[in-house]
Structures are given as structure tokens and as C-alpha cells.
Amino acid sequence: MMQAIQRLDYKGVFVYQNDAHLSTLRVIHAWYGGQAHERLVSQDGPRREVLIDGNTVTYVRPGEKSVVIMRRSKHPALPVTMSEDVWKSPYYRLRWGAVRRVAGMSCRTIVLQPRDTLRYARRICIDTAHDLPLETEVLNARGEVLERMLFTSLQTLQSVPAATFAPPVLTAGYTIKRLQDIHPATASGWHFSALPEGFKLLKVRNRGLGVNGQQVEQMLVSDGVSTVSVFIAPLMAPHRPALANAAHGYFMRNGALNVYSTTLANHEVTVIGEVPRQTIRDIVNGLSDQSHTR
């Protein structure tokens, strides 16, 4: 499935829902030169456009005359990312469901049901001809859908002209922000003394995402289905005064995505992932800095 998302050429329209919010996007995707190329254009609300050229992502907001260019990890833009051997995971039960029709195409439903409360369930309908995910859902422990992606039209292509992915021509007045490249993190002292069962540290890297572009350390944690990012930056009290006194931090939720911010060892720690709140808490509780005390 993951190889089909990356290496097939296709175009279509899909609906993305988190909680009560709905958005529609048009996508065209191609694989050439050994890497993925993709263009996503919003179909409702203010126009937004995302261009993916291998590991470079360009976000364009014409209404705000804003362009942001950044590097990314090698994963598809569609909200379906998991390791190829997830079917062997001891932390999920795999169940095959009915054959259905989505976007006029036949697809087979699979359900990844977690064996504990540390992760969300996934329900995916995979195109029987090409292995593309035509519909994906993230569900909580009560079976409620937190997030959904559904193709309303989809067409596979023989090839896509490279000009399709050319950057837009910008008129006067646009501001362009280039976020610093991702680099492997140097030794900083931050580490996990423990992680929730089944989760492993994948990588640690530095990104120029902080206030005034200062380096932010990013730690990626995953169980093979869900990936959680932990961002660590020196505390900038003038910019985030509320956090300086936040003994227990605070949560925000957007669909299946939970976000938690707190302070540890004079650093601002932000944890983002499609996992339940308790899993986020457990990840933070296992985080420490050997060069500081909490």
C-alpha cells in the first residue's frame, strides 16, 4: 500500500474530515527521477497550495501572499503513513472486512484494532486493483471517527508532465520563508528513560522551527502505525509567558491529533501525534535531560 501511494501516477479529489471540519483537496501525484512529486490544491475556503518535490515542500497561500519552503522526511502527503510490516505488529489485531465501492472503484476494508488503550484504531479501504487507500478512518476507543480521508474521484495515469509540478509564478508582495534544513541532532542530553509499550525512538534531528529560527530538537517516536513528534526548544519566556508557570502543561486536540505543551529543564516541550492523550503523557513522563534537572 505504501509503495502504491508513492510510486503510482494518479490524480483525484478527496475530502478530509477532522471532527466537524471538512475540507476538499485536488491532488495530482507522480513518481519520476527516483522520487515523488505532488501538487495539492484546496477546493474550498481560502486558496492553499502544496507542492512536493522529493524532500522539499512548498506551501503557498495566495490570499496572504505567503510562501513557506521546508524539507520533509520521505513520506507521502496523503494522511496514510505506516511501516510495511505493520501486519506483524503484536500491538494491533488485523481484521479483513467487506469489499465496498468508493469513488466508483472496488476496495477491500481492513481494520487495525489496537490491543490496548495506547493507540487509535485504523479502518482503511484499499483499492483492489492498485492497492491505493481510497478511504481511511481513525477511531477512538468508543468507535467514534476522529479523522477521515475519502476519495470522491480517482484516476490512475500513465505519466504526468513535469511542468505540472512547476512552482507558481509569484507576483510582487509575496513573502518567502525558507525553514532551515533538517540535520542530525548533536548530543544534547535529552533522552527517553522509558516509552509506552510498542513505541520506539526512530530518529533525533535539529530543525530551524523556533522563534527567530533557532534550532529545535525533534525526536520521532513510532509504533509502526502512529508517529509522534517531540519538539524541544530553549524556553523563550517573553514569547510564551503562560508556559513558564504551567506546571502540568496543556492539551489541544484537532481530530485525531493531540498536541501537548509543557516546560522541562527550562525548555519548551511540544508533543504532537495521532495517539490518545495518555500515550502523549507517558511519552513526556519518560523524557529527561541528563544535563539538567526538571
Side-chain angles (χ1 to χ4, degrees):
M1 180 182 70
M2 297 307 299
Q3 186 172 3
I5 295 173
Q6 287 275 41
R7 302 204 172 197
L8 273 179
D9 292 0
Y10 57 86
K11 66 178 180 179
V13 175
F14 67 90
V15 175
Y16 181 69
Q17 175 189 2
N18 55 15
D19 290 334
H21 178 71
L22 280 172
S23 56
T24 306
L25 297 103
R26 177 166 46 86
V27 61
I28 185 163
H29 177 97
W31 175 272
Y32 59 84
Q35 57 186 7
H37 304 265
E38 192 161 292
R39 190 178 213 117
L40 290 150
V41 181
S42 63
Q43 301 297 289
D44 43 32
R47 182 179 174 86
R48 293 160 290 134
E49 191 167 343
V50 181
L51 286 169
I52 297 175
D53 181 15
N55 291 341
T56 300
V57 184
T58 302
Y59 298 89
V60 183
R61 294 177 178 268
E64 302 173 12
K65 288 188 173 293
S66 167
V67 176
V68 176
I69 302 172
M70 65 182 295
R71 302 282 288 177
R72 66 155 191 167
S73 298
K74 293 182 179 180
H75 61 75
L78 292 179
V80 186
T81 306
M82 60 184 69
S83 65
E84 293 287 359
D85 60 353
V86 66
W87 324 114
K88 304 174 185 177
S89 172
Y91 304 103
Y92 293 87
R93 295 185 184 92
L94 173 63
R95 177 169 55 85
W96 290 95
V99 174
R100 302 168 46 215
R101 274 173 55 82
V102 173
M105 304 170 72
S106 175
C107 62
R108 181 73 180 269
T109 303
I110 62 169
V111 178
L112 291 172
Q113 189 67 42
R115 296 177 183 270
D116 53 33
T117 59
L118 296 175
R119 40 210 120 226
Y120 289 136
R122 300 296 202 281
R123 189 161 54 207
I124 309 169
C125 205
I126 301 175
D127 166 34
T128 55
H130 306 288
D131 287 339
L132 277 169
L134 302 182
E135 181 181 22
T136 67
E137 295 175 318
V138 182
L139 304 94
N140 63 18
R142 296 184 296 275
E144 299 166 337
V145 176
L146 301 175
E147 182 178 284
R148 173 185 283 121
M149 187 280 293
L150 172 71
F151 272 102
T152 57
S153 67
L154 181 65
Q155 178 185 355
T156 56
L157 305 170
Q158 292 298 316
S159 63
V160 180
T164 303
F165 307 103
V169 177
L170 304 179
T171 57
Y174 271 83
T175 59
I176 301 176
K177 183 176 182 180
R178 297 180 184 272
L179 299 184
Q180 296 180 26
D181 285 350
I182 301 169
H183 301 287
T186 55
S188 66
W190 289 98
H191 75 290
F192 290 105
S193 57
L195 282 169
E197 187 175 4
F199 285 85
K200 297 179 180 179
L201 178 64
L202 296 183
K203 62 181 66 175
V204 181
R205 58 198 186 185
N206 287 329
R207 308 190 66 158
L209 298 174
V211 177
N212 298 323
Q214 92 265 23
Q215 288 292 307
V216 175
E217 186 169 333
Q218 181 185 15
M219 307 174 83
L220 291 175
V221 175
S222 178
D223 69 346
V225 175
S226 301
T227 300
V228 180
S229 288
V230 181
F231 296 96
I232 304 169
L235 185 63
M236 305 292 287
H239 298 278
R240 298 293 296 274
L243 278 178
N245 297 317
H248 302 291
Y250 62 87
F251 269 103
M252 295 180 291
R253 187 179 70 83
N254 184 13
L257 193 71
N258 275 303
V259 181
Y260 179 70
S261 291
T262 189
T263 55
L264 295 174
N266 205 34
H267 282 69
E268 181 177 344
V269 176
T270 303
V271 186
I272 303 173
E274 288 191 345
V275 293
R277 284 191 176 191
Q278 186 57 52
T279 308
I280 296 282
R281 289 192 186 97
D282 291 347
I283 289 173
V284 173
N285 288 339
L287 181 66
S288 62
D289 183 2
Q290 292 178 332
S291 61
H292 296 83
T293 58
R294 291 194 181 189

